[in-house]
Amino acid sequence: MDKRYEVYALADRHFYDTPDRFSADGREHPAPLLETACRTVPEGWHAARTGDWLMLTPLDTDGTPLPSPAQGWKIHSSATAANAEQIARTVWDYCVPRRIPFKFVPGPHLLHLRNAKYAGRDTSGKFVTIYPSDEEQLQRTLDELGELLAGLEGPYILTDLRWYDGPLYVRYGAFARRYVVDERGSLVPAVADGSGRLVPDRRAPSFHVPDWVTLPEFLQPHLDARNTTTTGELPYRIEKALHFSNGGGVYAGTDTRNGRRVALKEARPHAGLAADRADAVVRLEREKAALERAAGTGVVPEVRDWFTLGDHRFLVMDFIEGSPLNSFFAKRHPLLTPDPSPEKVAAYTAWALRIHAAVERAVAAVHERGLAINDLHVFNIMVTPDEESVYLIDFEAAAPAEDNARQVVAHPGFFAPPDRRGTDVDLYALACLRMALFLPVTTLFVVDRGKAAHLAEVIAEQFPDVPRSFLDEAVTEITRDPDAARTGDGTDPPGAGRHGRTAPPVVPGDWPYSRDSMVKAVLASATPERDDRLFPGDIAQFSDGGGLGLAHGAAGVLYALEASGADRYDEGEQWLLHHTAPPPPGSPLGLYDGLAGVALVLDQLGHRQRALDLIAGILQENWRNLASDLKGGLAGLGLVLGRLADTTGEPDLRRHAAEAADILVRRLGEPLPDTRRRAGLLRGATGPALFLLRWYEQTGEARFLSAAAEALRRDLACCVVQQAGGGLEVDEGWRTLPYLGDGSAGIGLVLDDYLAQVDATGEGSGSPTRTADDGREPAPPGTASDMEEFQRARSGIVTAATSRFYAQPGLFQGRAGMILHLARSSAPGATPERLEQQIAGLGWFAMSYQGQLAFPGHQMMRLSMDLATGTAGCLLALAAARGAERTAHLPFLPPPPAAHIRGSVT
């Protein structure tokens, strides 16, 4: 579970949105501001909102910003809710008369989110940033402002060096917005090194002085003080970090006095805030009290110690041997195969029912001690090595049952509605657990609790031995309305969910009606009045340029609408044209994450000059240093350059595309790194294989086909066969992935096209070489073992793409990607029947938006309309499978020739 999504789910009940649009009533309006943020801008100053910040810049006599350094030592101040107004006012009153640029977080809600439990550790605590002109002004400001703010508290800023005991900190970094391609091929904020070369501005959660920078002498005592606090004198040997959050860490260790294995939980003061504003220290105190109250029940860890190190609090508990319940889905769940045997389904059902009963007994034991757990979910339930008994962990949200308190910390898939209080919160979680053990998609209930009834029907069909009463009781608990205001009988009306939604009017497979409904949902969600995004989608769209691109932005949705046969959305095209004239600074350059993809779509929609302008801007950057991948690197850029060279006849574009191809061939000839490599269509070697395959088709040069084969071999070397179902999936070390974006299905797309190309030229499988009919240079013969490996892999990928269950619906990380793969694959096993099963399974995730068919995005806490994660991607996949002409496709991955299509689903 990616905790970043919880913050973006607070602002709107339907879609992910920026925290500064927080709205309790579902309407968009600005969050409250600090009084200082509402001050009149002083004469000779300019004020502007930039993301979470209000920036104030002094102006020269001609009205332009005063010249300032591009980088240097900057000052940060942290703050708490209690002193934020005072600190903002003090900094304003200090900096304005001295003409020092500064910025601050203008609202209390935004400050809370920066310090929340799962906020980014690299930005945690940063409330104010001040930009001194030189080291002399740096020291004077620290001395003078430090005195003014002495005694005020705030969370520790992990990236910085603290100035005495107050809220001020310092770090060397960028002042101006400059960017560079880093060693991973991504465009990131930059500073200039000692030779003037731009390098990444390191922002890890630890203090760091760049190699070419000398620490000012007056800061040395503060660095020495920072280094005096260590764990060396503790009676515990810390062996492994288990988890980090903004509130602190959890560590596994050993008590050196007796050899007992322990877990140490750390809490940072003023950080890791919960919804009730309690910081990590307060929550750890609550956990200690709760565990001591539940001591001796045999279902919670026993408390062993409680101490302070520096200003961090630590709770020491018994280390619980076993695994969290969520880890058992990959081990045991029978729907992770295409055709689970009835025996395996029955065995899993019996185990899941036993585990749920064990959890119910454990919860009852805690309730008997007068406690409400308030944060029960599959990550906080530990299953012992015998896979029968359970322990409950993480009691920082627990409260006395008599308090009848609301939930303040929760996993989204077990988040109780506001009307549940006290032990009723735990009963709701137990009901969700009944569903999650069989279909772990209960996060959908955050969007619409009415979905529980539909999922119960799916579970009953897939797991026939689950008692119907077990499911009916869960649905009743999840959907009940304690006030019975809507129906008079304590239940929601049929089809109505948390927000009174009704069921979607059509199922995904009901084409073309489902297409029309999805298009209506997408267009109904459009916000052309906004500048940051046109269509709601993944949280990635709120990064630099994210609202424009192919994966998460306007370009991807416009592409899907056009590919599925929908009418042109002229207002959306004009929005994209307006917001690329010019594009925002720092916009990524690639096919799926940036401007190359925007250029491709604009050219396809007839806006060629704007497409060429965007490409010209990309070519002014250091594009040759981009990573090799398809998402944001050379493979995607090369494909776009080649396409625009064809459509425009521009020879320079073709020359640059050829250069990109040569660079990729050269890189494929270099030794592989020792580190674990990414694999898959978007970020693995399969993206370069796609470009090189298409470049071979353009040039006929056999070396590009050979290089494409080598790239595919590299990604297949990162794949493993799943023991349970025999599917071939990408191995990431801690998980395996079958998906289109980062998993094996994306490799399968290009593998299919490679084998079709080799077959068309008579190469491979030991066949004799020959010259292609078009007079091209003969392709090098693939060895029989190569072709056998590719054919085996192709078959294994189809198996991976035909499982009964996928955790999400999206195109790049969910079931829609499997539909797209099966719709275009000619591999044995990619049958119309298998495709039909996946289309039906997509309906498990179907939701309603304004009465139309829509789908949830990544993490499934909100709906999404984008291509990578949401409704537009599902639309594209269904168009590829159900469209009359079967022509819908991802860029540069058109449907194979009709002779290679095994059949169609009508």
Side-chain angles (χ1 to χ4, degrees):
M1 176 61 65
D2 188 334
K3 296 294 185 178
R4 297 175 302 161
Y5 285 78
E6 294 186 34
V7 171
Y8 287 87
L10 295 173
D12 186 274
R13 70 183 192 182
H14 298 293
F15 304 111
Y16 295 120
D17 212 334
T18 52
D20 60 331
R21 294 178 181 270
F22 178 78
S23 170
D25 57 10
R27 299 189 188 97
E28 181 181 320
H29 56 70
L33 298 177
L34 298 170
E35 289 183 11
T36 304
C38 298
R39 284 182 172 185
T40 301
V41 179
E43 185 177 354
W45 283 75
H46 173 72
R49 281 292 299 269
T50 304
D52 291 349
W53 298 97
L54 176 62
M55 180 76 197
L56 283 98
T57 308
L59 302 177
D60 211 337
T61 54
D62 61 358
T64 61
L66 278 175
S68 62
Q71 63 193 58
W73 289 97
K74 62 177 74 174
I75 301 171
H76 287 118
S77 177
S78 61
T80 67
N83 63 31
E85 187 69 72
Q86 179 183 353
I87 290 176
R89 182 174 61 249
T90 302
V91 169
W92 180 299
D93 292 343
Y94 180 86
C95 288
V96 167
R98 293 165 178 81
R99 312 283 282 169
I100 304 173
F102 68 101
K103 64 182 181 181
F104 65 101
V105 176
H109 178 65
L110 290 174
L111 175 62
H112 173 82
L113 294 177
R114 280 183 162 263
N115 294 329
K117 181 176 180 180
Y118 288 105
R121 298 172 72 229
D122 57 336
T123 59
S124 173
K126 295 176 183 177
F127 171 59
V128 171
T129 308
I130 302 170
Y131 301 95
S133 58
D134 52 32
E135 291 185 8
E136 180 181 350
Q137 189 174 70
L138 170 73
Q139 183 175 11
R140 184 167 58 252
T141 302
L142 286 168
D143 284 333
E144 296 173 353
L145 191 58
E147 288 188 13
L148 295 173
L149 300 177
L152 296 179
E153 296 181 314
Y156 197 100
I157 298 177
L158 297 173
T159 59
D160 289 26
L161 180 63
R162 190 174 191 179
W163 179 258
Y164 290 108
D165 297 325
L168 296 185
Y169 297 76
V170 292
R171 182 181 84 85
Y172 188 93
F175 289 9
R177 288 168 63 93
R178 295 189 291 178
Y179 298 88
V180 68
V181 177
D182 68 6
E183 66 276 3
R184 301 177 66 180
S186 301
L187 200 66
V188 297
V191 292
D193 66 11
S195 65
R197 180 174 61 95
L198 288 180
V199 297
D201 183 9
R202 183 180 181 275
R203 299 184 179 185
S206 60
F207 180 63
H208 166 77
V209 181
D211 294 339
W212 67 91
V213 175
T214 300
L215 183 75
E217 186 176 345
F218 61 87
L219 292 179
Q220 187 62 49
H222 303 276
L223 180 60
D224 295 340
R226 177 190 177 103
N227 294 334
T228 57
T229 301
T230 69
T231 61
E233 297 182 2
L234 294 178
Y236 304 103
R237 182 174 63 252
I238 296 177
E239 295 155 349
K240 183 181 180 181
L242 301 176
H243 173 68
F244 282 112
S245 74
N246 190 27
V250 181
Y251 311 91
T254 299
D255 188 328
T256 57
R257 296 166 296 189
N258 54 27
R260 175 187 288 119
R261 294 205 70 199
V262 293
L264 297 90
K265 192 167 185 178
E266 172 192 27
R268 299 173 53 220
H270 310 299
L273 302 180
D276 63 351
R277 308 287 173 174
D279 70 1
V281 172
V282 170
R283 288 187 287 104
L284 195 62
E285 290 170 345
R286 292 174 180 172
E287 180 162 16
K288 175 177 178 288
L291 290 177
E292 289 174 339
R293 189 166 181 172
T297 57
V299 296
V300 303
E302 299 292 327
V303 173
R304 298 299 175 184
D305 201 357
W306 174 252
F307 66 88
T308 299
L309 180 65
D311 59 355
H312 293 199
R313 195 67 57 83
F314 285 83
L315 174 65
V316 184
M317 304 165 282
D318 285 343
F319 183 87
I320 303 299
E321 299 289 349
S323 302
L325 180 55
N326 70 291
S327 69
F328 285 84
F329 294 123
K331 296 178 184 178
R332 283 181 170 269
H333 205 284
L335 299 192
L336 298 179
T337 64
D339 298 300
S341 69
E343 293 78 14
K344 286 187 176 180
V345 172
Y348 178 83
T349 299
W351 177 80
L353 293 174
R354 290 198 305 273
I355 286 294
H356 191 274
V359 176
E360 283 190 316
R361 291 192 295 272
V363 171
V366 174
H367 285 181
E368 287 175 3
R369 295 295 180 91
L371 283 172
I373 301 167
N374 285 328
D375 192 22
L376 179 70
H377 57 77
V378 291
F379 290 84
N380 286 350
I381 299 168
M382 295 292 291
V383 181
T384 56
D386 64 6
E387 297 190 6
E388 296 292 339
S389 302
V390 300
Y391 278 83
L392 307 181
I393 62 172
D394 200 351
F395 277 70
E396 64 181 35
E402 62 267 22
D403 290 354
N404 204 33
R406 288 179 57 177
Q407 198 170 26
V408 295
V409 176
H411 183 285
F414 297 78
F415 186 39
D419 53 58
R420 312 301 166 89
R421 293 174 176 270
T423 55
D424 277 358
V425 171
D426 298 339
L427 298 181
Y428 180 88
L430 285 170
C432 290
L433 183 61
R434 293 191 183 203
M435 313 286 282
L437 281 165
F438 297 98
L439 280 185
V441 294
T442 54
T443 308
L444 293 173
F445 302 160
V446 177
V447 183
D448 185 355
R449 282 189 284 135
K451 191 68 178 176
H454 179 209
L455 294 184
E457 296 295 333
V458 175
I459 293 169
E461 179 183 357
Q462 300 293 325
F463 297 89
D465 292 337
V466 177
R468 189 63 210 219
S469 60
F470 183 84
L471 299 174
D472 290 343
E473 290 168 3
V475 172
T476 299
E477 174 61 33
I478 291 166
T479 60
R480 73 177 172 91
D481 179 357
D483 297 327
R486 282 172 282 184
T487 65
D489 63 359
T491 63
D492 289 338
R498 181 182 178 192
H499 303 299
R501 298 190 180 95
T502 57
V506 294
V507 296
D510 191 9
W511 193 270
Y513 304 107
S514 59
R515 176 198 64 192
D516 297 341
S517 188
M518 284 184 282
V519 169
K520 289 176 183 177
V522 167
L523 296 181
S525 75
T527 54
E529 71 279 3
R530 288 179 60 160
D531 287 324
D532 56 344
R533 55 101 158 138
L534 175 59
F535 300 102
D538 191 73
I539 66 173
Q541 65 183 189
F542 301 116
S543 302
D544 286 328
L548 303 177
L550 196 58
H552 304 295
V557 178
L558 295 175
Y559 177 88
L561 292 174
E562 194 273 340
S564 63
D567 293 336
R568 294 279 289 267
Y569 178 41
D570 293 333
E571 189 176 12
E573 293 178 31
Q574 292 303 313
W575 186 94
L576 189 56
L577 288 168
H578 174 71
H579 288 84
T580 53
S587 294
L589 308 180
L591 171 60
Y592 279 102
D593 69 351
L595 299 180
V598 177
L600 175 73
V601 173
L602 287 175
D603 181 68
Q604 185 169 314
L605 295 174
H607 307 290
R608 180 156 298 162
Q609 187 54 55
R610 178 56 52 77
L612 291 174
D613 292 343
L614 292 176
I615 292 298
I618 293 171
L619 294 175
Q620 291 176 4
E621 302 290 341
N622 194 8
W623 61 273
R624 297 171 183 83
N625 285 352
L626 289 171
S628 298
D629 63 67
L630 186 70
K631 179 183 178 183
L634 273 181
L637 178 58
L639 284 163
V640 176
L641 290 170
R643 173 66 57 81
L644 288 178
D646 289 342
T647 59
T648 66
E650 292 283 346
D652 283 349
L653 295 180
R654 184 172 181 82
R655 178 172 56 82
H656 289 311
E659 185 178 0
D662 287 338
I663 292 172
L664 291 176
V665 171
R666 184 178 71 248
R667 289 179 182 177
L668 285 166
E670 296 171 352
L672 291 172
D674 293 333
T675 56
R676 179 174 292 277
R677 308 187 309 278
R678 284 192 176 274
L681 180 66
L682 292 184
R683 291 184 281 190
T686 297
L690 174 61
F691 172 42
L692 295 168
L693 180 60
R694 298 290 174 248
W695 200 242
Y696 165 73
E697 294 168 356
Q698 287 273 319
T699 65
E701 294 185 41
R703 64 191 181 101
F704 295 121
L705 190 62
S706 295
E710 170 59 25
L712 288 169
R713 281 192 291 269
R714 288 193 176 189
D715 268 8
L716 290 175
C718 298
C719 295
V720 295
V721 176
Q722 294 296 100
Q723 292 184 353
L728 189 72
E729 299 186 5
V730 169
D731 182 7
E732 290 200 329
W734 62 285
R735 62 178 180 177
T736 63
L737 297 177
Y739 299 121
L740 194 75
D742 293 320
S744 55
I747 301 173
L749 292 178
V750 181
L751 195 58
D752 281 347
D753 285 12
Y754 174 84
L755 290 171
Q757 182 61 243
V758 170
D759 181 61
T761 57
E763 306 303 337
S765 302
S767 61
T769 62
R770 65 176 176 84
T771 302
D773 293 339
D774 58 6
R776 300 180 184 203
E777 176 185 346
T783 66
S785 60
D786 284 342
M787 294 304 103
E788 289 173 5
E789 176 194 359
F790 285 1
Q791 292 288 2
R792 282 196 305 272
R794 190 185 189 206
S795 177
I797 291 169
V798 167
T799 300
T802 53
S803 291
R804 292 281 185 91
F805 174 76
Y806 299 96
Q808 300 189 114
L811 184 64
F812 286 161
Q813 297 187 62
R815 196 183 289 269
M818 307 308 167
I819 293 171
L820 184 68
H821 175 58
L822 295 174
R824 76 185 299 277
S825 180
S826 61
T831 63
E833 294 75 20
R834 291 298 194 189
L835 178 58
E836 180 67 23
Q837 289 173 356
Q838 294 303 324
I839 292 173
L842 187 63
W844 298 0
F845 303 94
M847 309 292 281
S848 176
Y849 177 68
Q850 296 195 9
Q852 304 299 334
L853 177 61
F855 289 92
H858 194 51
Q859 304 293 319
M860 298 195 300
M861 284 182 269
R862 291 293 184 266
L863 302 178
S864 170
M865 298 300 175
D866 70 29
L867 180 72
T869 71
T871 306
C874 296
L875 172 65
L876 182 72
L878 289 169
R882 288 293 183 91
E885 303 299 326
R886 301 280 302 276
T887 57
H889 61 277
L890 280 174
F892 308 106
L893 282 162
H900 293 284
I901 299 178
R902 296 181 58 86
S904 62
V905 178
T906 59

